[in-house]
């Protein structure tokens, strides 16, 4: 039986875990409008495209806080508060 190398979890168990996570943590996809917004964020805020796309997509989804270690801790972009969970305590805007 094939298993995942990192922790030896069988592929069937991993697939079940991914399914459970997808139910528990709904996912959204980037819309064409989010791609356009992301390009503006790259220009206006000097973000990488992928960080900008993530921010634009979560904004569309109604997310107010994003945990990430890829951008400046405590920064707000488009009204989305960016918190690096490895650097700071949780704070409300």
């Amino acid at each position: 039986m094939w298993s995942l190398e990192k922790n030896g979890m069988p592929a069937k168990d991993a697939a079940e875990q991914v399914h459970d996570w997808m139910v528990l943590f709904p996912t959204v996809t980037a819309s064409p409008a989010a791609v356009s917004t992301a390009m503006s964020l790259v220009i206006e805020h000097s973000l990488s495209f992928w960080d900008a796309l993530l921010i634009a997509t979560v904004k569309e989804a109604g997310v107010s806080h994003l945990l990430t270690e890829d951008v400046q801790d405590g920064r707000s972009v488009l009204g989305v508060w960016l918190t690096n969970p490895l650097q700071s305590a949780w704070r409300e805007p």
Side-chain angles (χ1 to χ4, degrees):
M1 175 184 285
W2 186 84
S3 66
L4 301 175
E5 292 180 27
K6 188 164 188 164
N7 67 2
M9 179 183 286
K12 183 178 182 223
D13 293 345
E16 290 171 359
Q17 183 68 60
V18 168
H19 177 277
D20 290 347
W21 286 343
M22 289 175 67
V23 170
L24 185 60
F25 305 107
T27 58
V28 295
T29 58
S31 69
V35 173
S36 179
T37 299
M39 291 308 301
S40 295
L41 293 176
V42 167
I43 295 165
E44 295 170 16
H45 296 277
S46 300
L47 295 167
S48 75
F49 173 74
W50 297 111
D51 291 339
L53 184 59
L54 179 60
I55 292 166
T57 301
V58 300
K59 174 65 176 181
E60 280 186 0
V63 172
S64 62
H65 288 82
L66 178 63
L67 300 178
T68 178
E69 59 182 302
D70 291 335
V71 294
Q72 181 182 6
D73 181 52
R75 185 174 182 182
S76 175
V77 178
L78 296 179
V80 176
W81 286 94
L82 309 169
T83 301
N84 182 337
L86 303 177
Q87 285 187 346
S88 68
W90 179 263
R91 60 177 157 262
E92 289 293 323

